[in-house]
Amino acid sequence: MLLLPELYPTLPYKPYCTDDLGTLSIQPKQIAVKKRYIQHNPPCMTHFIGLDIDHPHGAMRWAEEYLPPPRWTTQNPVNGHAHIVYELEKPVCTSENGSIKALKYLAAIQAGLIRATRADSGYSNFITKNPLHPYWRTEVWTDEKYKLDYLAEFIELRALNTTEKQSGLGRNCTLFDIVRHWAYKAVREHRGKQWEQWYNSVLKHALSVNMAFPEPLPYSEIKATAKSIAKYCWNRDGYHYHEFIHRQAIKGSKGGKVSKRKPDPTSEQSLKPWEELGISRRTYYDDKKRFK
């Protein structure tokens, strides 16, 4: 239970958990921490990068590859397979409030760590061996929380390959890229329709793309990505923009007509006395000020 004071606050309020990987359930945190497996990252937020090592000495793979020490490792006492978990100094948001640039950077780092440790590339980083459970052989290696730039120094950063795009955080990036390119054109078909209709269309397409992944993303992340793309395309579509400008112009025109005063036939603007005097309008008003 050495990790409890530090780990407990970062866990989801109601994490997925189980004693058997075949079935997952959502439980209050105080119940979930008693299960062998637990969801370690909150929805749409990455605090921890987990690596799944299917090797008899998996817990020490980080040291063999000269990587920085992880926050903890949890090892199966029967076969030696382990999870290696790194904690981030600044969590990365995967919702519409986050940065796609930061997410892609994190995905590249995760993929680099997987390659360096020869970890399971299909591991989703969604459920981990619960370091608070006595069944696992848990080791706490450091209390260090790492910056992404620091972790990047220990690995080879490169573009994700096809497999990496279909797993881990690569799925978030792939989903974003596929759906946004579809949405750039699809938004035209929703001109004149309501926002809710457009958003539901994007969400439906995102769910369809997600089902093609070997291990689909959680619904909360699909919903967040769909909302981000729908808002971006809706606000920047030329039709909706010009429709907004046109409405504003009509309002301005009506306002001008209402506020415009009728001309006074006895005013200087109507009589134009400077023409009779043979001088310019500006000279007339300058002289009027001077001799007032």
Side-chain angles (χ1 to χ4, degrees), residues 91-106 173 176 228:
V92 176
C93 179
T94 59
S95 75
E96 74 274 11
N97 298 317
S99 164
I100 186 62
K101 183 178 179 180
L103 178 59
K104 288 187 175 182
Y105 188 35
L106 176 59
C173 302
F176 181 83
S228 174

Short mmCIF file of all heavy atoms in Angstrom, two decimals, residues 91-106 173 176 228:
data_model
loop_
_atom_site.label_atom_id
_atom_site.label_comp_id
_atom_site.label_asym_id
_atom_site.label_seq_id
_atom_site.Cartn_x
_atom_site.Cartn_y
_atom_site.Cartn_z
N PRO A 91 -0.21 15.94 -16.92
CA PRO A 91 -1.09 15.02 -17.66
C PRO A 91 -1.48 15.60 -19.01
O PRO A 91 -1.59 16.82 -19.17
CB PRO A 91 -2.31 14.89 -16.74
CG PRO A 91 -1.82 15.29 -15.39
CD PRO A 91 -0.76 16.32 -15.61
N VAL A 92 -1.69 14.73 -19.98
CA VAL A 92 -2.08 15.14 -21.32
C VAL A 92 -3.56 14.86 -21.51
O VAL A 92 -4.03 13.74 -21.30
CB VAL A 92 -1.26 14.41 -22.40
CG1 VAL A 92 -1.74 14.79 -23.79
CG2 VAL A 92 0.22 14.74 -22.24
N CYS A 93 -4.30 15.89 -21.90
CA CYS A 93 -5.74 15.78 -22.10
C CYS A 93 -6.03 15.21 -23.49
O CYS A 93 -5.41 15.64 -24.48
CB CYS A 93 -6.39 17.15 -21.93
SG CYS A 93 -8.17 17.16 -22.18
N THR A 94 -6.96 14.27 -23.58
CA THR A 94 -7.33 13.67 -24.86
C THR A 94 -8.74 14.07 -25.28
O THR A 94 -9.30 13.48 -26.20
CB THR A 94 -7.23 12.13 -24.78
OG1 THR A 94 -8.10 11.65 -23.75
CG2 THR A 94 -5.82 11.69 -24.48
N SER A 95 -9.32 15.07 -24.62
CA SER A 95 -10.66 15.54 -24.96
C SER A 95 -10.57 16.75 -25.87
O SER A 95 -9.48 17.16 -26.30
CB SER A 95 -11.45 15.90 -23.71
OG SER A 95 -10.99 17.14 -23.19
N GLU A 96 -11.73 17.38 -26.16
CA GLU A 96 -11.76 18.55 -27.03
C GLU A 96 -11.05 19.74 -26.41
O GLU A 96 -10.74 20.71 -27.09
CB GLU A 96 -13.21 18.94 -27.37
CG GLU A 96 -14.00 19.60 -26.25
CD GLU A 96 -14.66 18.61 -25.31
OE1 GLU A 96 -14.34 17.41 -25.40
OE2 GLU A 96 -15.49 19.02 -24.50
N ASN A 97 -10.78 19.68 -25.10
CA ASN A 97 -10.07 20.76 -24.42
C ASN A 97 -8.56 20.63 -24.51
O ASN A 97 -7.83 21.51 -24.05
CB ASN A 97 -10.49 20.81 -22.94
CG ASN A 97 -11.97 21.09 -22.78
OD1 ASN A 97 -12.52 21.94 -23.46
ND2 ASN A 97 -12.62 20.35 -21.89
N GLY A 98 -8.09 19.52 -25.05
CA GLY A 98 -6.66 19.27 -25.13
C GLY A 98 -6.05 19.72 -26.44
O GLY A 98 -6.71 20.25 -27.33
N SER A 99 -4.76 19.48 -26.56
CA SER A 99 -3.99 19.85 -27.75
C SER A 99 -3.68 18.59 -28.56
O SER A 99 -3.09 17.64 -28.04
CB SER A 99 -2.69 20.55 -27.34
OG SER A 99 -1.77 20.59 -28.41
N ILE A 100 -4.07 18.58 -29.83
CA ILE A 100 -3.78 17.42 -30.67
C ILE A 100 -2.28 17.29 -30.89
O ILE A 100 -1.74 16.19 -31.02
CB ILE A 100 -4.53 17.52 -32.02
CG1 ILE A 100 -4.33 16.24 -32.84
CG2 ILE A 100 -4.09 18.74 -32.79
CD1 ILE A 100 -4.86 14.99 -32.19
N LYS A 101 -1.57 18.42 -30.86
CA LYS A 101 -0.11 18.38 -31.01
C LYS A 101 0.52 17.66 -29.83
O LYS A 101 1.41 16.82 -30.00
CB LYS A 101 0.44 19.81 -31.12
CG LYS A 101 1.94 19.88 -31.35
CD LYS A 101 2.39 21.32 -31.50
CE LYS A 101 3.90 21.40 -31.72
NZ LYS A 101 4.36 22.82 -31.86
N ALA A 102 0.07 17.98 -28.61
CA ALA A 102 0.59 17.32 -27.41
C ALA A 102 0.23 15.84 -27.42
O ALA A 102 1.04 14.98 -27.01
CB ALA A 102 0.04 17.99 -26.16
N LEU A 103 -0.97 15.51 -27.88
CA LEU A 103 -1.41 14.12 -27.91
C LEU A 103 -0.55 13.30 -28.88
O LEU A 103 -0.14 12.18 -28.58
CB LEU A 103 -2.88 14.04 -28.31
CG LEU A 103 -3.48 12.64 -28.43
CD1 LEU A 103 -3.37 11.89 -27.12
CD2 LEU A 103 -4.94 12.73 -28.87
N LYS A 104 -0.26 13.87 -30.05
CA LYS A 104 0.57 13.16 -31.02
C LYS A 104 1.99 12.98 -30.51
O LYS A 104 2.63 11.96 -30.77
CB LYS A 104 0.55 13.91 -32.36
CG LYS A 104 -0.78 13.80 -33.09
CD LYS A 104 -0.71 14.42 -34.48
CE LYS A 104 -2.02 14.18 -35.23
NZ LYS A 104 -1.99 14.72 -36.61
N TYR A 105 2.48 13.97 -29.79
CA TYR A 105 3.82 13.88 -29.19
C TYR A 105 3.85 12.75 -28.16
O TYR A 105 4.78 11.94 -28.14
CB TYR A 105 4.17 15.22 -28.56
CG TYR A 105 5.59 15.36 -28.08
CD1 TYR A 105 6.65 14.76 -28.75
CD2 TYR A 105 5.88 16.11 -26.94
CE1 TYR A 105 7.96 14.90 -28.30
CE2 TYR A 105 7.19 16.26 -26.49
CZ TYR A 105 8.22 15.66 -27.17
OH TYR A 105 9.51 15.81 -26.73
N LEU A 106 2.83 12.70 -27.32
CA LEU A 106 2.74 11.65 -26.31
C LEU A 106 2.63 10.28 -26.96
O LEU A 106 3.25 9.32 -26.51
CB LEU A 106 1.55 11.90 -25.40
CG LEU A 106 1.26 10.84 -24.33
CD1 LEU A 106 2.46 10.67 -23.40
CD2 LEU A 106 0.02 11.21 -23.53
N CYS A 173 -4.97 9.49 -32.16
CA CYS A 173 -4.48 10.31 -33.27
C CYS A 173 -5.09 9.85 -34.59
O CYS A 173 -5.49 10.67 -35.42
CB CYS A 173 -2.95 10.24 -33.34
SG CYS A 173 -2.12 10.78 -31.82
N PHE A 176 -8.73 10.89 -34.80
CA PHE A 176 -8.82 12.33 -35.06
C PHE A 176 -8.56 12.65 -36.53
O PHE A 176 -9.32 13.41 -37.15
CB PHE A 176 -7.83 13.08 -34.17
CG PHE A 176 -7.87 14.57 -34.33
CD1 PHE A 176 -8.80 15.34 -33.66
CD2 PHE A 176 -6.97 15.21 -35.17
CE1 PHE A 176 -8.85 16.72 -33.82
CE2 PHE A 176 -7.00 16.58 -35.33
CZ PHE A 176 -7.93 17.34 -34.65
N SER A 228 -14.95 17.82 -30.58
CA SER A 228 -13.89 18.74 -30.97
C SER A 228 -13.91 18.99 -32.48
O SER A 228 -13.85 20.13 -32.95
CB SER A 228 -12.53 18.18 -30.56
OG SER A 228 -11.48 18.97 -31.03
#
